[in-house]
Amino acid sequence: MCGSSTTDIYKEFRDELVGAGLLIPSGVRGVYGRSGVFENVIEQFERYVTREGAPQKAEVMHFPPLFNRAHYCSINHIHNFPDLMGSVHSFTGKDREHAEMLRKFEGGEDWTQDLHPSEVMLIPAACYPLYPTATGTLSTEGRIVDLKSFVFRHEPSDDPARMQIFRQREYVRLGTAEQALQHRNDWVKRGKAMLESVGLQVEAVVANDPFFGRGGRMAKATQREQDLKYELVVPICSTEKPTAVTSCNLHLDYFGIAFDIRTADGQPAHTACIGFGLERIALALFKAHGLEVKAWPAKVREILALD
Amino acid sequence: MCGSSTTDIYKEFRDELVGAGLLIPSGVRGVYGRSGVFENVIEQFERYVTREGAPQKAEVMHFPPLFNRAHYCSINHIHNFPDLMGSVHSFTGKDREHAEMLRKFEGGEDWTQDLHPSEVMLIPAACYPLYPTATGTLSTEGRIVDLKSFVFRHEPSDDPARMQIFRQREYVRLGTAEQALQHRNDWVKRGKAMLESVGLQVEAVVANDPFFGRGGRMAKATQREQDLKYELVVPICSTEKPTAVTSCNLHLDYFGIAFDIRTADGQPAHTACIGFGLERIALALFKAHGLEVKAWPAKVREILALD
């Protein structure tokens, strides 16, 4: 299993996963194909989430992994996480410009400066595309929305749990400050219990987001001070640096103001989400119980209907 | 339903789908969220594909929607379809460059030229990431692979069936020329029968790909002449211009040569695929049977297990 050198423990586990055929390397760090066995673990964990979330009677809104560029520009991701962004560019010229771009392409020059930014960015979090669609006034009950998407983070890494593209399954609450806080707090507990029930060693900790640069230090301090975000962490390769597999986040009225979402009494709505990192949860399960799903503990196989 | 003016029939159907809550607009043409009902139709059609494909005992390799840029540069997409490409760019600078990009961002200048091309492109077709992983020599049986991915095509449109990002489910054959041809031909028949069984009015036609510019005319002629690609088309908004919902494609030894995939006797492998366009199939079903799944014909609901 994972070795003792801190530089190698990630590569070792990645190589085991690749050797077992669970992940298929693409040649780019953090971008893998998934085997049928891996996909089935994710599908079954998702069904567990759906069962646990059923009493909420959430609306389902599953977005593809693209985010309207204009909406991206309405939030502060470019301030806080510019190094993680994915901006989608395409070619919009005619024959003449095409010939010039091909000349560069074939001559080994940089041809990408001939592209233009498209109308879209890659999604940084599964719930972002929801908020711009929610502009307007909520009922007194507010809303609960079930989201799922591939999300992108440009952070090439040998750690198999730090993928550049992975799926998040979320439940988002839109409503009053109390409704949002309760959602966040309920799901910290429920999410922790769910992960424990499938044999993972989980701890809830205050989040430690990788805000960018000098300006990010203040954002980080504010996040911690206001007690906004909890992560459910599980040791995957490292017990000293356990991996966040789920996060429970209170946004206060940030999205309510950015996208003019209001409560029934006209105040900016508060929002909160729980996001399950599905690939990380699958990896944590493979680490805890071994690479052969058939050999996992009976109770875990039963909860995840893996027989 | 669809009106008579050719410019409006697409918008009208899109507006009906949005009105029924099946698609959720993102503000970008061709990028939508999907409701739970819409997702369930896709999931059930996929299960039908899985059942029909089961005798093949295919290996499952599901890739996320990103494609290694170096592999993109080994194929001719930039020659044939540059206008459809999605190149992913990110920020790689430090605090100083960040401050300069933010100055442009906040001043309304173009900040995207401060980004750098990342290691990845968006995937143009679900099977592309497979071929670079298949370098080497096949057994005499060859391989059959089950793929699924969101794919990107930069073609903003009001036609709900012409999305910028949608899912393809594929079965790819790698092997001899005969194995590839047989896979393609078998799946043209099987795919047509499947679509007919769920009440769609299907025709198999020689494909008409939108090759780019002057150079594309020859590629288009070659594709038609060599009888390489069939599309299964169904009228969605227009009976005169039916929509390709599935395609069956013979690549000859194109990918075998590009990625050094060889048959047991050392020849470049031939490949072929069937690709189901899942969103288009769902849209064709909603168009044919109405927006209320409960009111669909009993036989269709039974095949798709929609009860």
Side-chain angles (χ1 to χ4, degrees):
Chain A
M1 304 301 279
C2 287
S4 56
S5 153
T6 51
T7 50
D8 284 341
I9 52 177
Y10 301 108
K11 282 189 185 175
E12 278 179 32
F13 187 44
R14 186 199 57 191
D15 292 348
E16 286 176 42
L17 293 159
V18 169
L22 293 164
L23 294 184
I24 301 131
S26 71
V28 172
R29 293 197 302 161
V31 179
Y32 306 93
R34 282 81 161 149
S35 76
V37 171
F38 193 91
E39 289 293 270
N40 189 48
V41 169
I42 286 192
E43 190 177 331
Q44 295 303 341
F45 188 83
E46 266 219 87
R47 285 172 191 261
Y48 186 23
V49 173
T50 302
R51 289 195 302 275
E52 289 289 308
Q56 303 175 129
K57 300 192 188 309
E59 307 161 53
V60 176
M61 291 170 72
H62 290 184
F63 285 87
L66 300 181
F67 190 38
N68 186 329
R69 182 179 294 271
H71 297 152
Y72 181 87
C73 294
S74 301
I75 58 171
N76 57 15
H77 193 270
I78 193 173
H79 299 85
N80 288 334
F81 308 104
D83 48 332
L84 302 182
M85 82 161 69
S87 177
V88 180
H89 296 210
S90 198
F91 176 75
T92 56
K94 302 286 179 198
D95 271 322
R96 188 189 182 128
E97 293 81 18
H98 187 218
E100 172 60 11
M101 180 171 74
L102 285 182
R103 187 193 61 72
K104 293 181 185 167
F105 175 79
E106 276 148 19
E109 293 174 47
D110 179 12
W111 51 273
T112 64
Q113 293 297 314
D114 292 22
L115 305 177
H116 282 84
S118 76
E119 310 80 354
V120 289
M121 306 284 291
L122 286 167
I123 294 190
C127 60
Y128 282 15
L130 161 65
Y131 306 112
T133 73
T135 299
T137 302
L138 299 166
S139 72
T140 51
E141 290 79 37
R143 292 171 66 185
I144 301 185
V145 184
D146 165 340
L147 294 125
K148 178 189 176 177
S149 184
F150 268 106
V151 302
F152 177 75
R153 294 184 185 169
H154 184 250
E155 45 175 356
S157 167
D158 292 323
D159 179 357
R162 195 164 289 282
M163 293 187 181
Q164 291 200 53
I165 184 139
F166 58 94
R167 278 160 289 188
Q168 288 179 340
R169 173 73 184 275
E170 293 201 20
Y171 286 120
V172 172
R173 187 79 170 103
L174 305 100
T176 63
E178 295 71 32
Q179 286 167 338
L181 180 63
Q182 174 146 20
H183 180 80
R184 201 277 309 264
N185 291 348
D186 286 353
W187 271 108
V188 171
K189 273 186 236 154
R190 194 177 295 130
K192 186 161 184 284
M194 286 176 65
L195 294 167
E196 283 169 347
S197 77
V198 291
L200 300 179
Q201 188 189 321
V202 192
E203 211 181 330
V205 300
V206 175
N208 191 17
D209 278 349
F211 290 98
F212 182 83
R214 278 198 296 269
R217 269 182 239 141
M218 199 154 71
K220 191 174 219 164
T222 307
Q223 187 189 53
R224 291 185 72 89
E225 218 167 75
Q226 298 192 311
D227 199 27
L228 297 180
K229 184 171 175 183
Y230 286 88
E231 287 174 339
L232 301 176
V233 300
V234 174
I236 299 182
C237 274
S238 162
T239 46
E240 288 139 55
K241 290 188 180 178
T243 301
V245 301
T246 295
S247 74
C248 305
N249 206 346
L250 191 61
H251 316 120
L252 303 178
D253 57 5
Y254 176 74
F255 291 111
I257 289 173
F259 296 108
D260 197 21
I261 311 167
R262 301 191 165 269
T263 55
D265 64 356
Q267 297 301 305
H270 282 231
T271 60
C273 66
I274 176 157
F276 293 95
L278 297 174
E279 276 77 1
R280 287 187 176 181
I281 290 170
L283 292 169
L285 288 165
F286 282 111
K287 186 68 188 181
H289 306 312
L291 302 186
E292 271 292 337
V293 173
K294 287 200 174 88
W296 288 8
K299 195 192 139 213
V300 176
R301 295 209 317 279
E302 190 191 320
I303 289 175
L304 298 179
L306 287 169
D307 282 324
Chain B
M1 303 302 282
C2 287
S4 55
S5 153
T6 51
T7 50
D8 284 341
I9 52 178
Y10 301 109
K11 282 189 185 175
E12 277 180 31
F13 187 45
R14 185 199 59 193
D15 292 348
E16 286 176 42
L17 293 158
V18 169
L22 292 163
L23 295 183
I24 301 130
S26 71
V28 172
R29 292 196 303 161
V31 180
Y32 306 93
R34 283 80 159 149
S35 77
V37 171
F38 193 91
E39 289 292 270
N40 189 47
V41 168
I42 286 191
E43 190 178 330
Q44 296 301 343
F45 187 83
E46 265 219 86
R47 285 171 190 260
Y48 186 23
V49 173
T50 301
R51 289 195 303 274
E52 289 290 308
Q56 303 174 128
K57 300 193 190 308
E59 305 161 54
V60 176
M61 292 170 71
H62 289 184
F63 285 87
L66 299 182
F67 190 38
N68 186 329
R69 183 179 293 272
H71 297 153
Y72 181 87
C73 293
S74 301
I75 58 170
N76 57 16
H77 193 269
I78 192 173
H79 299 86
N80 288 333
F81 308 104
D83 49 331
L84 303 182
M85 82 160 69
S87 177
V88 179
H89 297 211
S90 197
F91 176 76
T92 56
K94 301 286 180 201
D95 270 322
R96 188 191 180 124
E97 293 80 19
H98 188 217
E100 172 60 10
M101 181 171 74
L102 285 182
R103 188 194 60 72
K104 293 181 186 168
F105 175 78
E106 275 148 17
E109 292 175 46
D110 180 13
W111 52 273
T112 64
Q113 293 297 314
D114 292 23
L115 304 177
H116 282 85
S118 76
E119 311 80 354
V120 290
M121 306 282 294
L122 287 166
I123 294 190
C127 60
Y128 282 15
L130 161 65
Y131 306 113
T133 73
T135 299
T137 302
L138 299 166
S139 72
T140 51
E141 290 79 38
R143 292 172 66 186
I144 301 184
V145 184
D146 165 339
L147 294 125
K148 178 189 177 176
S149 184
F150 268 106
V151 303
F152 178 75
R153 294 185 184 168
H154 184 251
E155 46 175 356
S157 167
D158 292 322
D159 179 358
R162 194 164 290 281
M163 293 186 181
Q164 292 200 52
I165 184 138
F166 58 94
R167 278 161 288 189
Q168 288 179 341
R169 173 72 185 275
E170 294 201 19
Y171 285 120
V172 172
R173 187 78 170 103
L174 304 100
T176 63
E178 295 70 32
Q179 287 166 337
L181 181 63
Q182 175 146 19
H183 181 80
R184 201 277 308 265
N185 291 348
D186 286 353
W187 271 107
V188 171
K189 272 186 235 151
R190 194 177 296 128
K192 187 162 184 284
M194 286 176 66
L195 295 167
E196 283 170 346
S197 77
V198 291
L200 300 180
Q201 187 190 322
V202 192
E203 211 181 330
V205 301
V206 175
N208 192 17
D209 278 348
F211 289 99
F212 182 82
R214 279 199 296 268
R217 266 180 241 143
M218 199 152 73
K220 190 173 219 165
T222 307
Q223 186 189 54
R224 292 185 71 90
E225 218 166 73
Q226 298 191 310
D227 200 25
L228 297 181
K229 183 170 175 183
Y230 286 87
E231 287 174 338
L232 301 176
V233 300
V234 174
I236 299 183
C237 275
S238 163
T239 46
E240 289 139 54
K241 290 188 179 178
T243 302
V245 300
T246 294
S247 74
C248 304
N249 206 346
L250 191 61
H251 317 121
L252 303 176
D253 57 6
Y254 176 74
F255 290 111
I257 290 174
F259 296 107
D260 197 21
I261 312 166
R262 302 192 163 269
T263 55
D265 64 356
Q267 298 301 306
H270 282 231
T271 59
C273 66
I274 176 156
F276 292 94
L278 297 174
E279 276 77 1
R280 286 186 177 181
I281 290 169
L283 292 170
L285 288 165
F286 283 112
K287 186 68 186 182
H289 306 311
L291 302 186
E292 272 292 337
V293 173
K294 288 200 175 87
W296 288 9
K299 195 191 139 215
V300 176
R301 293 208 318 277
E302 190 191 320
I303 290 174
L304 298 179
L306 287 169
D307 282 324

